[in-house]
Amino acid sequence: MPDFTSLGAALDLRGIVRASRFSVGTGLRARGVPAISMGVATIVLAASAGRALERLATVLPDTAREARESWLVLRGVRLPELPP
C-alpha cells in the first residue's frame, strides 16, 4: 500500500492552505480552505458566464430587432407592411 504521508509532505499542503487568501474589496475576506473554495467557485462562475455570453451572442441581433419593433409599436409608429 502506498505511503500517502510522504506525498503530503512532498506537496506541503498545509503551507498552501495557510497561504491561501481570498478578498473582494474590504467586506469579503477568507483564509485557508474557504478561500480555496471561493477561488474555485469564482473560476466556475466566470466560465459559466462566458459560456452564457457566447450563446447569447447568436441571438443578440434578433433580440435588438424585436426590441426596436416593440418600442415603435408602443410609440404608435406604423411599421411598413410587406407587399402581398
Coordinates of all heavy atoms in Angstrom, one line a residue:
M1 N 0.8 -1.2 0.0 CA 0.0 0.0 0.0 C 0.9 1.2 0.0 O 1.9 1.3 0.7 CB -0.9 0.0 1.2 CG -1.9 1.1 1.3 SD -3.2 0.6 2.4 CE -4.5 1.5 1.7
P2 N 0.6 2.3 -0.8 CA 1.4 3.5 -0.9 C 1.4 4.3 0.4 O 0.4 4.3 1.1 CB 0.8 4.2 -2.1 CG -0.5 3.7 -2.3 CD -0.6 2.3 -1.7
D3 N 2.5 5.0 0.6 CA 2.6 5.8 1.8 C 2.2 7.2 1.4 O 2.9 8.0 0.8 CB 4.0 5.8 2.3 CG 4.2 6.6 3.5 OD1 3.2 6.9 4.2 OD2 5.4 6.9 3.8
F4 N 0.9 7.6 1.8 CA 0.4 8.9 1.5 C 1.0 10.1 2.3 O 0.9 11.2 2.0 CB -1.1 9.0 1.5 CG -1.7 8.1 0.5 CD1 -2.4 6.9 0.8 CD2 -1.7 8.5 -0.9 CE1 -3.0 6.2 -0.2 CE2 -2.3 7.8 -1.9 CZ -2.9 6.6 -1.5
T5 N 1.6 9.7 3.5 CA 2.1 10.8 4.3 C 3.3 11.4 3.6 O 3.6 12.6 3.8 CB 2.5 10.2 5.7 OG1 3.5 9.1 5.5 CG2 1.3 9.7 6.4
S6 N 4.1 10.6 2.9 CA 5.2 11.2 2.2 C 4.8 12.1 1.0 O 5.4 13.1 0.7 CB 6.2 10.1 1.7 OG 5.5 9.3 0.8
L7 N 3.7 11.8 0.4 CA 3.1 12.6 -0.7 C 2.6 13.9 -0.1 O 2.9 15.0 -0.7 CB 1.9 11.9 -1.4 CG 1.2 12.6 -2.5 CD1 2.2 12.9 -3.6 CD2 0.0 11.9 -3.0
G8 N 2.0 13.9 1.0 CA 1.5 15.1 1.7 C 2.7 16.0 2.1 O 2.6 17.2 2.0
A9 N 3.7 15.3 2.6 CA 4.9 16.1 2.9 C 5.6 16.7 1.7 O 6.1 17.8 1.8 CB 5.9 15.2 3.7
A10 N 5.6 16.0 0.6 CA 6.2 16.5 -0.6 C 5.5 17.7 -1.2 O 6.0 18.6 -1.7 CB 6.3 15.4 -1.6
L11 N 4.1 17.6 -1.1 CA 3.3 18.7 -1.6 C 3.2 19.9 -0.7 O 2.9 21.0 -1.1 CB 1.9 18.2 -2.0 CG 1.8 17.2 -3.1 CD1 0.4 16.7 -3.3 CD2 2.3 17.8 -4.4
D12 N 3.4 19.7 0.6 CA 3.3 20.7 1.6 C 1.9 21.4 1.5 O 1.8 22.6 1.4 CB 4.4 21.7 1.5 CG 4.4 22.7 2.7 OD1 4.0 22.3 3.8 OD2 4.9 23.8 2.5
L13 N 0.9 20.6 1.7 CA -0.5 21.1 1.6 C -0.8 22.0 2.7 O -1.6 23.0 2.5 CB -1.5 19.9 1.5 CG -1.4 19.0 0.3 CD1 -2.3 17.9 0.4 CD2 -1.6 19.8 -1.0
R14 N -0.3 21.8 3.9 CA -0.6 22.7 5.0 C -0.1 24.1 4.7 O -0.8 25.1 5.0 CB 0.1 22.2 6.3 CG -0.6 21.0 6.8 CD 0.0 20.6 8.1 NE -0.6 19.3 8.6 CZ -0.1 18.6 9.5 NH1 1.0 18.8 10.0 NH2 -0.8 17.5 9.8
G15 N 1.1 24.2 4.1 CA 1.6 25.6 3.7 C 0.7 26.2 2.7 O 0.5 27.5 2.7
I16 N 0.3 25.5 1.7 CA -0.6 26.0 0.7 C -1.9 26.5 1.3 O -2.4 27.6 0.9 CB -0.9 25.0 -0.4 CG1 0.4 24.7 -1.2 CG2 -1.9 25.4 -1.4 CD1 0.3 23.5 -2.1
V17 N -2.5 25.7 2.2 CA -3.8 26.1 2.8 C -3.6 27.3 3.6 O -4.4 28.2 3.6 CB -4.4 24.9 3.6 CG1 -5.6 25.4 4.4 CG2 -4.8 23.8 2.6
R18 N -2.5 27.4 4.4 CA -2.3 28.6 5.3 C -2.0 29.8 4.4 O -2.4 30.9 4.8 CB -1.1 28.3 6.1 CG -1.4 27.6 7.4 CD -0.2 27.6 8.4 NE -0.2 26.4 9.1 CZ 0.8 25.5 9.1 NH1 1.9 25.8 8.4 NH2 0.7 24.4 9.8
A19 N -1.4 29.7 3.3 CA -1.1 30.9 2.5 C -2.2 31.3 1.6 O -2.2 32.4 1.0 CB 0.1 30.5 1.6
S20 N -3.3 30.5 1.5 CA -4.4 30.9 0.6 C -5.2 32.0 1.2 O -5.7 31.9 2.3 CB -5.3 29.6 0.4 OG -4.5 28.6 -0.3
R21 N -5.4 33.0 0.5 CA -6.2 34.1 0.9 C -7.1 34.6 -0.3 O -6.6 34.6 -1.4 CB -5.3 35.3 1.4 CG -4.6 35.0 2.6 CD -3.8 36.1 3.1 NE -3.0 35.7 4.3 CZ -2.1 36.4 4.8 NH1 -1.8 37.5 4.3 NH2 -1.5 35.9 5.9
F22 N -8.3 35.0 0.0 CA -9.2 35.5 -1.0 C -9.9 36.7 -0.4 O -10.4 36.7 0.7 CB -10.3 34.4 -1.3 CG -11.2 34.8 -2.4 CD1 -10.9 34.5 -3.7 CD2 -12.4 35.4 -2.1 CE1 -11.8 34.8 -4.7 CE2 -13.3 35.7 -3.1 CZ -13.0 35.4 -4.4
S23 N -9.9 37.8 -1.1 CA -10.6 39.0 -0.7 C -11.2 39.7 -1.9 O -10.7 39.8 -3.0 CB -9.7 39.9 0.1 OG -8.7 40.4 -0.8
V24 N -12.4 40.3 -1.6 CA -13.1 41.1 -2.6 C -13.4 42.4 -1.8 O -14.2 42.5 -0.9 CB -14.4 40.5 -3.1 CG1 -15.1 41.4 -4.0 CG2 -14.1 39.1 -3.7
G25 N -12.7 43.5 -2.2 CA -12.8 44.8 -1.5 C -12.4 44.7 -0.1 O -11.5 43.9 0.3
T26 N -13.1 45.4 0.8 CA -12.8 45.3 2.2 C -13.9 44.5 3.0 O -13.7 44.2 4.1 CB -12.8 46.8 2.8 OG1 -14.1 47.4 2.6 CG2 -11.7 47.6 2.2
G27 N -15.0 44.1 2.3 CA -16.0 43.5 3.1 C -16.0 41.9 3.0 O -16.5 41.3 4.0
L28 N -15.3 41.3 2.1 CA -15.3 39.9 2.0 C -13.9 39.4 2.0 O -13.1 39.7 1.1 CB -16.0 39.4 0.7 CG -16.1 38.0 0.4 CD1 -16.9 37.3 1.5 CD2 -16.7 37.7 -0.9
R29 N -13.5 38.6 3.0 CA -12.2 38.1 3.2 C -12.3 36.6 3.7 O -13.2 36.3 4.5 CB -11.4 38.9 4.1 CG -11.0 40.2 3.7 CD -10.2 41.0 4.7 NE -10.0 42.3 4.2 CZ -9.4 43.2 4.9 NH1 -8.9 43.0 6.1 NH2 -9.2 44.5 4.4
A30 N -11.4 35.8 3.2 CA -11.4 34.4 3.6 C -9.9 33.9 3.6 O -9.1 34.4 2.8 CB -12.2 33.5 2.7
R31 N -9.6 33.0 4.5 CA -8.3 32.4 4.5 C -8.4 30.9 4.6 O -9.4 30.3 5.2 CB -7.5 32.9 5.8 CG -7.2 34.3 5.7 CD -6.4 34.8 6.9 NE -5.1 34.0 6.9 CZ -4.3 34.0 8.0 NH1 -4.6 34.7 9.0 NH2 -3.2 33.3 8.0
G32 N -7.5 30.2 4.1 CA -7.4 28.7 4.2 C -8.4 28.0 3.2 O -8.5 28.4 2.1
V33 N -9.0 27.0 3.7 CA -9.9 26.2 2.8 C -11.0 27.0 2.3 O -11.4 26.8 1.1 CB -10.4 24.9 3.6 CG1 -11.4 24.1 2.8 CG2 -9.2 24.0 4.0
P34 N -11.7 27.8 3.1 CA -12.8 28.6 2.5 C -12.3 29.5 1.3 O -13.0 29.7 0.3 CB -13.3 29.5 3.6 CG -13.0 28.7 4.8 CD -11.7 28.0 4.5
A35 N -11.1 30.0 1.4 CA -10.5 30.8 0.4 C -10.3 30.0 -0.9 O -10.6 30.5 -2.0 CB -9.2 31.5 0.8
I36 N -9.8 28.8 -0.8 CA -9.7 27.9 -1.9 C -11.0 27.6 -2.6 O -11.2 27.7 -3.8 CB -8.9 26.6 -1.5 CG1 -7.5 27.0 -1.1 CG2 -8.9 25.6 -2.6 CD1 -6.8 25.8 -0.4
S37 N -12.0 27.3 -1.7 CA -13.4 27.0 -2.2 C -13.9 28.3 -3.0 O -14.5 28.1 -4.0 CB -14.3 26.6 -1.1 OG -13.8 25.5 -0.5
M38 N -13.7 29.4 -2.4 CA -14.2 30.7 -3.1 C -13.5 30.9 -4.4 O -14.1 31.4 -5.4 CB -14.1 31.8 -2.1 CG -15.0 31.8 -0.9 SD -14.8 33.1 0.2 CE -15.7 34.4 -0.5
G39 N -12.2 30.6 -4.4 CA -11.5 30.8 -5.7 C -12.0 29.9 -6.8 O -12.1 30.3 -7.9
V40 N -12.2 28.6 -6.4 CA -12.7 27.6 -7.4 C -14.1 28.0 -7.8 O -14.4 28.0 -9.0 CB -12.7 26.2 -6.8 CG1 -13.4 25.2 -7.7 CG2 -11.3 25.7 -6.5
A41 N -14.9 28.5 -6.9 CA -16.3 28.9 -7.3 C -16.3 30.1 -8.2 O -17.1 30.2 -9.2 CB -17.1 29.2 -6.0
T42 N -15.3 31.0 -8.0 CA -15.2 32.2 -8.9 C -14.8 31.8 -10.3 O -15.3 32.3 -11.3 CB -14.1 33.1 -8.3 OG1 -14.5 33.5 -7.0 CG2 -14.0 34.4 -9.2
I43 N -13.9 30.8 -10.4 CA -13.5 30.3 -11.7 C -14.6 29.6 -12.4 O -14.8 29.9 -13.6 CB -12.2 29.4 -11.6 CG1 -11.0 30.2 -11.1 CG2 -12.0 28.6 -12.9 CD1 -9.9 29.3 -10.7
V44 N -15.4 28.8 -11.7 CA -16.5 28.1 -12.3 C -17.6 29.2 -12.8 O -18.2 29.0 -13.9 CB -17.1 27.1 -11.4 CG1 -18.4 26.6 -11.8 CG2 -16.1 26.0 -11.1
L45 N -17.8 30.2 -11.9 CA -18.8 31.2 -12.3 C -18.4 32.0 -13.5 O -19.2 32.3 -14.4 CB -19.0 32.1 -11.1 CG -20.0 33.3 -11.3 CD1 -21.4 32.7 -11.5 CD2 -19.9 34.2 -10.1
A46 N -17.1 32.3 -13.6 CA -16.6 33.0 -14.8 C -16.7 32.2 -16.1 O -17.1 32.7 -17.1 CB -15.1 33.5 -14.6
A47 N -16.4 30.9 -16.0 CA -16.5 30.1 -17.1 C -18.0 29.9 -17.6 O -18.3 30.0 -18.8 CB -16.0 28.7 -16.8
S48 N -18.9 29.8 -16.6 CA -20.3 29.7 -16.9 C -20.8 31.0 -17.6 O -21.6 31.0 -18.5 CB -21.1 29.4 -15.7 OG -20.7 28.2 -15.2
A49 N -20.4 32.2 -17.0 CA -20.8 33.4 -17.6 C -20.3 33.6 -19.0 O -21.0 34.1 -19.9 CB -20.3 34.6 -16.7
G50 N -19.1 33.2 -19.2 CA -18.5 33.3 -20.6 C -19.3 32.4 -21.6 O -19.5 32.8 -22.7
R51 N -19.6 31.2 -21.1 CA -20.4 30.3 -22.0 C -21.8 30.9 -22.3 O -22.3 30.8 -23.4 CB -20.5 28.9 -21.3 CG -21.0 27.8 -22.3 CD -21.0 26.5 -21.6 NE -19.7 26.2 -21.0 CZ -19.5 25.9 -19.7 NH1 -20.5 25.9 -18.9 NH2 -18.3 25.6 -19.2
A52 N -22.4 31.5 -21.3 CA -23.7 32.1 -21.5 C -23.6 33.3 -22.5 O -24.5 33.4 -23.3 CB -24.3 32.5 -20.2
L53 N -22.6 34.1 -22.3 CA -22.4 35.2 -23.3 C -22.2 34.7 -24.7 O -22.6 35.4 -25.7 CB -21.3 36.1 -22.8 CG -21.6 37.0 -21.6 CD1 -20.4 37.7 -21.1 CD2 -22.7 37.9 -21.8
E54 N -21.5 33.6 -24.8 CA -21.2 33.1 -26.1 C -22.5 32.6 -26.8 O -22.7 32.8 -28.0 CB -20.2 31.9 -26.0 CG -19.8 31.3 -27.3 CD -18.9 30.1 -27.1 OE1 -18.0 30.2 -26.1 OE2 -18.9 29.2 -27.9
R55 N -23.4 32.0 -26.0 CA -24.6 31.6 -26.6 C -25.6 32.8 -26.9 O -26.3 32.7 -27.9 CB -25.3 30.6 -25.6 CG -24.6 29.3 -25.5 CD -25.3 28.4 -24.6 NE -24.6 27.1 -24.5 CZ -24.8 26.2 -23.5 NH1 -25.7 26.4 -22.6 NH2 -24.1 25.1 -23.5
L56 N -25.5 33.8 -26.0 CA -26.4 35.0 -26.3 C -25.9 35.8 -27.5 O -26.8 36.5 -28.0 CB -26.4 35.8 -25.0 CG -27.2 35.3 -23.8 CD1 -27.0 36.2 -22.6 CD2 -28.6 35.1 -24.2
A57 N -24.7 35.7 -27.8 CA -24.2 36.5 -29.0 C -24.9 36.1 -30.3 O -25.1 36.9 -31.1 CB -22.7 36.3 -29.1
T58 N -25.4 34.9 -30.4 CA -26.0 34.5 -31.6 C -27.5 35.0 -31.7 O -28.0 35.2 -32.8 CB -26.1 32.9 -31.7 OG1 -26.7 32.4 -30.6 CG2 -24.7 32.3 -31.8
V59 N -28.1 35.3 -30.6 CA -29.5 35.8 -30.6 C -29.6 37.3 -30.4 O -30.7 37.8 -30.4 CB -30.4 35.0 -29.6 CG1 -30.5 33.6 -29.9 CG2 -29.9 35.2 -28.2
L60 N -28.5 37.9 -30.2 CA -28.5 39.4 -29.9 C -29.1 40.2 -31.1 O -29.9 41.1 -30.8 CB -27.1 39.9 -29.6 CG -27.0 41.3 -29.1 CD1 -27.8 41.5 -27.9 CD2 -25.5 41.7 -28.9
P61 N -28.8 40.0 -32.3 CA -29.4 40.8 -33.4 C -30.9 40.6 -33.4 O -31.6 41.6 -33.6 CB -28.7 40.2 -34.7 CG -27.5 39.6 -34.2 CD -27.7 39.1 -32.9
D62 N -31.4 39.4 -33.3 CA -32.9 39.2 -33.3 C -33.5 39.9 -32.1 O -34.6 40.5 -32.2 CB -33.2 37.7 -33.2 CG -32.8 37.0 -34.5 OD1 -32.7 37.6 -35.5 OD2 -32.5 35.8 -34.4
T63 N -32.9 39.8 -30.9 CA -33.4 40.5 -29.8 C -33.4 42.0 -29.9 O -34.4 42.7 -29.6 CB -32.5 40.1 -28.5 OG1 -32.5 38.7 -28.4 CG2 -33.1 40.7 -27.3
A64 N -32.4 42.6 -30.5 CA -32.3 44.0 -30.7 C -33.4 44.4 -31.7 O -34.1 45.5 -31.5 CB -31.0 44.4 -31.2
R65 N -33.6 43.7 -32.8 CA -34.7 44.0 -33.8 C -36.0 43.9 -33.1 O -36.9 44.8 -33.3 CB -34.6 43.0 -35.0 CG -35.6 43.3 -36.0 CD -35.5 42.4 -37.2 NE -35.2 41.0 -36.9 CZ -36.2 40.1 -36.5 NH1 -37.4 40.5 -36.5 NH2 -35.9 38.9 -36.2
E66 N -36.3 42.9 -32.4 CA -37.6 42.8 -31.7 C -37.9 43.9 -30.7 O -39.0 44.4 -30.6 CB -37.7 41.4 -31.0 CG -37.8 40.2 -32.0 CD -39.1 40.2 -32.8 OE1 -40.1 40.7 -32.3 OE2 -39.1 39.7 -33.9
A67 N -36.8 44.3 -30.0 CA -37.0 45.4 -29.0 C -37.3 46.7 -29.7 O -38.1 47.5 -29.3 CB -35.7 45.5 -28.2
R68 N -36.6 46.9 -30.8 CA -36.8 48.1 -31.6 C -38.3 48.1 -32.1 O -39.0 49.2 -32.0 CB -35.9 48.2 -32.8 CG -36.1 49.4 -33.7 CD -35.1 49.4 -34.8 NE -35.5 50.4 -35.8 CZ -36.4 50.3 -36.8 NH1 -37.0 49.1 -36.9 NH2 -36.7 51.2 -37.6
E69 N -38.7 47.0 -32.7 CA -40.1 47.0 -33.2 C -41.1 47.1 -32.1 O -42.2 47.8 -32.3 CB -40.3 45.7 -34.0 CG -39.5 45.6 -35.3 CD -39.7 44.3 -36.0 OE1 -40.4 43.4 -35.5 OE2 -39.1 44.2 -37.1
S70 N -40.9 46.6 -31.0 CA -41.8 46.7 -29.8 C -41.9 48.2 -29.4 O -42.9 48.7 -29.1 CB -41.3 45.8 -28.7 OG -41.4 44.5 -29.0
W71 N -40.7 48.8 -29.3 CA -40.7 50.2 -29.0 C -41.5 51.1 -30.0 O -42.2 52.0 -29.6 CB -39.2 50.7 -28.8 CG -39.1 52.2 -28.5 CD1 -38.7 53.1 -29.4 CD2 -39.5 52.8 -27.3 NE1 -38.7 54.4 -28.8 CE2 -39.2 54.2 -27.5 CE3 -40.0 52.4 -26.1 CZ2 -39.4 55.1 -26.5 CZ3 -40.2 53.3 -25.1 CH2 -39.9 54.7 -25.3
L72 N -41.3 50.8 -31.2 CA -42.0 51.6 -32.3 C -43.5 51.4 -32.1 O -44.3 52.3 -32.3 CB -41.5 51.2 -33.7 CG -40.1 51.7 -34.0 CD1 -39.7 51.1 -35.3 CD2 -40.0 53.2 -33.9
V73 N -44.0 50.1 -31.9 CA -45.4 49.8 -31.7 C -45.9 50.6 -30.5 O -47.0 51.1 -30.5 CB -45.6 48.3 -31.6 CG1 -47.0 48.0 -31.1 CG2 -45.3 47.7 -32.9
L74 N -45.2 50.6 -29.4 CA -45.7 51.3 -28.2 C -45.8 52.8 -28.4 O -46.6 53.4 -27.8 CB -44.7 51.0 -27.0 CG -44.8 49.6 -26.5 CD1 -43.7 49.4 -25.4 CD2 -46.1 49.3 -25.8
R75 N -44.9 53.3 -29.3 CA -45.0 54.8 -29.6 C -46.1 55.1 -30.6 O -46.3 56.3 -30.8 CB -43.6 55.2 -30.1 CG -42.6 55.3 -29.0 CD -41.3 55.8 -29.5 NE -41.4 57.1 -30.1 CZ -40.6 57.6 -31.0 NH1 -39.5 57.0 -31.4 NH2 -40.8 58.9 -31.4
G76 N -46.6 54.1 -31.2 CA -47.7 54.3 -32.2 C -47.2 54.5 -33.6 O -48.0 54.9 -34.5
V77 N -46.0 54.2 -33.9 CA -45.5 54.3 -35.2 C -45.9 53.0 -36.0 O -45.8 51.9 -35.6 CB -43.9 54.4 -35.2 CG1 -43.4 54.4 -36.6 CG2 -43.5 55.6 -34.4
R78 N -46.5 53.3 -37.2 CA -46.9 52.1 -38.0 C -45.7 51.6 -38.8 O -45.0 52.4 -39.5 CB -48.0 52.6 -38.9 CG -49.3 52.9 -38.2 CD -50.5 53.0 -39.0 NE -50.7 51.9 -39.9 CZ -51.5 50.9 -39.7 NH1 -52.2 50.8 -38.5 NH2 -51.7 50.0 -40.6
L79 N -45.5 50.3 -38.7 CA -44.4 49.7 -39.5 C -44.9 49.4 -40.9 O -46.1 49.1 -41.1 CB -44.0 48.4 -38.8 CG -43.4 48.6 -37.4 CD1 -43.2 47.2 -36.8 CD2 -42.2 49.4 -37.4
P80 N -44.0 49.6 -41.9 CA -44.4 49.3 -43.3 C -44.7 47.8 -43.4 O -44.0 47.0 -42.9 CB -43.2 49.7 -44.1 CG -42.1 49.8 -43.2 CD -42.7 50.1 -41.8
E81 N -45.8 47.5 -44.1 CA -46.2 46.1 -44.3 C -45.5 45.6 -45.6 O -45.3 46.3 -46.5 CB -47.7 46.0 -44.4 CG -48.4 46.3 -43.1 CD -49.9 46.1 -43.2 OE1 -50.3 45.4 -44.1 OE2 -50.6 46.7 -42.3
L82 N -45.3 44.3 -45.6 CA -44.7 43.7 -46.8 C -45.8 43.6 -47.9 O -47.0 43.3 -47.6 CB -44.2 42.3 -46.5 CG -43.0 42.3 -45.6 CD1 -42.7 40.8 -45.2 CD2 -41.8 42.9 -46.2
P83 N -45.4 43.8 -49.2 CA -46.4 43.6 -50.3 C -46.9 42.2 -50.4 O -46.1 41.3 -50.1 CB -45.7 44.1 -51.5 CG -44.3 44.1 -51.2 CD -44.2 44.2 -49.7
P84 N -48.1 42.0 -50.8 CA -48.6 40.6 -50.9 C -47.9 39.8 -52.0 O -47.3 40.2 -52.9 CB -50.1 40.7 -51.2 CG -50.3 42.1 -51.6 CD -49.1 42.9 -51.1

